[in-house]
Amino acid sequence: WAQQFLSQNQGEEWANQFQDMMGNEDWAGQFKEMMDGGGEEWANEFTGNADPSDYPFEEDNPFMFHENPFEEGIKLKEAGCLPQAVLAFEATVRKEEGHHEGWKQLGLTQADNEK
């Protein structure tokens, strides 16, 4: 279908319609300039600047006393015990804030738990 679309010269027509809708601004050029020049500030807003202190940890977390809450969290998640797995991953990242896999699993498990 893509070849048919392009062979009918609709690709360029579509691009022109899009540009007209955008007010004939050079949005692609502006984006490139932003990324080449000052895009780092914009990118940092969405990456790497997360503040872990913003996360509302459970105060009474029984996994804070567990020897390896990350491994326990993986087991609990695999068993389908998502609320307990969340607590285990919370304990993991509270004990070791730089535990990236713990943060990842916490986020994924929180998302699965909300479904």
Side-chain angles (χ1 to χ4, degrees):
W1 66 266
Q3 291 300 328
Q4 181 184 8
F5 181 78
L6 291 174
S7 70
Q8 295 172 355
N9 202 22
Q10 292 181 9
E12 189 171 325
E13 181 181 329
W14 176 86
N16 290 336
Q17 287 175 354
F18 181 78
Q19 189 171 9
D20 289 342
M21 285 178 17
M22 297 302 293
N24 287 324
E25 293 181 24
D26 181 19
W27 59 270
Q30 289 174 356
F31 182 77
K32 183 178 178 348
E33 285 177 24
M34 181 184 71
M35 295 309 290
D36 289 346
E40 188 172 317
E41 280 181 37
W42 177 82
N44 283 339
E45 184 177 337
F46 299 100
T47 61
N49 286 339
D51 185 359
S53 66
D54 290 343
Y55 183 85
F57 290 103
E58 179 67 39
E59 289 298 318
D60 297 321
N61 188 336
F63 292 98
M64 288 300 295
F65 305 104
H66 197 282
E67 186 176 313
N68 192 335
F70 181 77
E71 283 184 17
E72 188 66 20
I74 295 295
K75 290 176 188 175
L76 288 164
K77 185 176 180 181
E78 289 172 353
C81 302
L82 299 181
Q84 292 82 9
V86 166
L87 290 174
F89 294 131
E90 283 186 8
T92 300
V93 298
R94 283 181 78 180
K95 288 181 168 188
E96 187 182 339
E97 192 174 292
H99 196 296
H100 301 293
E101 188 63 25
W103 281 109
K104 176 183 168 185
Q105 288 300 322
L106 175 58
L108 292 172
T109 308
Q110 285 283 30
D112 288 343
N113 194 36
E114 291 178 4
K115 290 181 183 177

